[in-house]
Amino acid sequence: MLKVRYWLLTGAAACALSFVQAPASAQPKPKPAAAKPAAKPDADPAKPNLAEAKQRYTAGETKFKAGDFAGALSEFQAADAIKATPQAARYIALCQDKLGKYAEAVTSYERFLADVPEKLKGEADGIKKRVEEIRAMPGKVKVETTPPGAQITADGKPVPQPAPTEIELPPGKHTLLFKLEGREATDRVVDVAYASTQDLKVDMKELPPPPAPAPAPVAKVETPPPPPELPPEPRSMVPAFITGGLAVAAAGVGTAFGIMALSDKSDYDKNPTAEKADDGENHALIADMAFGVAVTMGVTSAVLFLTRDEPAAPKAASVRTVVAARAKSKPVVSAAPIMTPHGGGAGALVRF
């Protein structure tokens, strides 16, 4: 056994030396090494980074459970930007709803409802109901008027508070009417979206000055027509006849006493006595007085006969008054003494 090992080791050494001592020309040329394939990059930029999306989604769930809805919204939106999923859309809608961004929440809810995952089918009905509730929410209109204090009417119903104020209106178009003393009435049509807030500023124009009042028409005073002139009333001739009769009677008395006075004078001339003289004087005096009355009555009777009818009553007096006055008037006869250079007498004065 030892000999065999010896001979094997000796043969191997000889072979090795033969290879070392061989000429270089006898060695074969080495073949060129084949090019190694390029190493692949760690990530493809064209593909979404699902690991980051999952990390952001998990962070969003943690913040949502902690009540940090704004932080959770940011995380879910970042995860959704990497790869959009209905799960992320649902969480985005919930965060927007919690933060009062109702219009954006409806858009996100509808995106979720368009592709509901099988595991979340049970939440679809609740989300649909929530969308209907949001769509029925009134919108708010913040109203300001210049100048402030205008009274507001919305669709014919008065608003309790004057401007500036905030009005809640259901979704749709509404007409607002503004009124303020000294300003022109102004109306505006506003289109209110659900759960929205908008500002409305209204400039109230001043009323134009009132026109100058027209001069008042001068009322024409119509002068009433003058009353018709009364025809002269036929005067009664009774007074004329009475005075004429008295004149005749007085003349007769004067004549009779005149004759008696002449007779007394003739008797006195034949037989002058004091008695005859007195009788003659008395008869002559009575005759003079009688003739005086006769003359007075004669003149009065002539005046009554010859005087023209008096004119109608003045226009200012009513016809009825004049007629009544004439009806009530009565002639008044009174005696008046008459004195002459040769004697005296009495006369009658008639008043009508």
Side-chain angles (χ1 to χ4, degrees), residues 33-39:
K36 294 181 179 180

Side-chain angles (χ1 to χ4, degrees), residues 142-280:
K142 295 181 179 179
V143 180
E144 293 183 14
T145 60
T146 305
Q151 298 296 326
I152 308 170
T153 302
D155 298 328
K157 297 180 180 179
V159 177
Q161 297 295 330
T165 187
E166 185 177 86
I167 309 172
E168 284 192 355
L169 297 170
K173 291 186 177 181
H174 303 272
T175 300
L176 303 181
L177 179 63
F178 303 88
K179 291 184 178 180
L180 184 62
E181 186 177 358
R183 303 282 173 162
E184 293 182 358
T186 307
D187 58 358
R188 291 286 187 274
V189 178
V190 292
D191 192 359
V192 179
Y194 62 87
S196 64
T197 301
Q198 59 178 302
D199 296 330
L200 179 62
K201 296 183 179 181
V202 180
D203 186 12
M204 306 288 290
K205 296 182 179 179
E206 292 186 10
L207 285 172
V218 179
K220 294 182 179 180
V221 179
E222 295 184 0
T223 305
E229 293 186 1
L230 294 175
E233 293 184 0
R235 288 188 302 108
S236 176
M237 302 303 292
V238 173
F241 289 127
I242 293 174
T243 54
L246 292 174
V248 172
V253 171
T255 301
F257 278 93
I259 293 172
M260 290 175 66
L262 292 175
S263 177
D264 291 335
K265 185 178 182 306
S266 176
D267 292 340
Y268 179 79
D269 290 336
K270 292 178 180 181
N271 184 17
T273 62
E275 184 180 356
K276 293 292 184 181
D278 292 336
D279 290 339

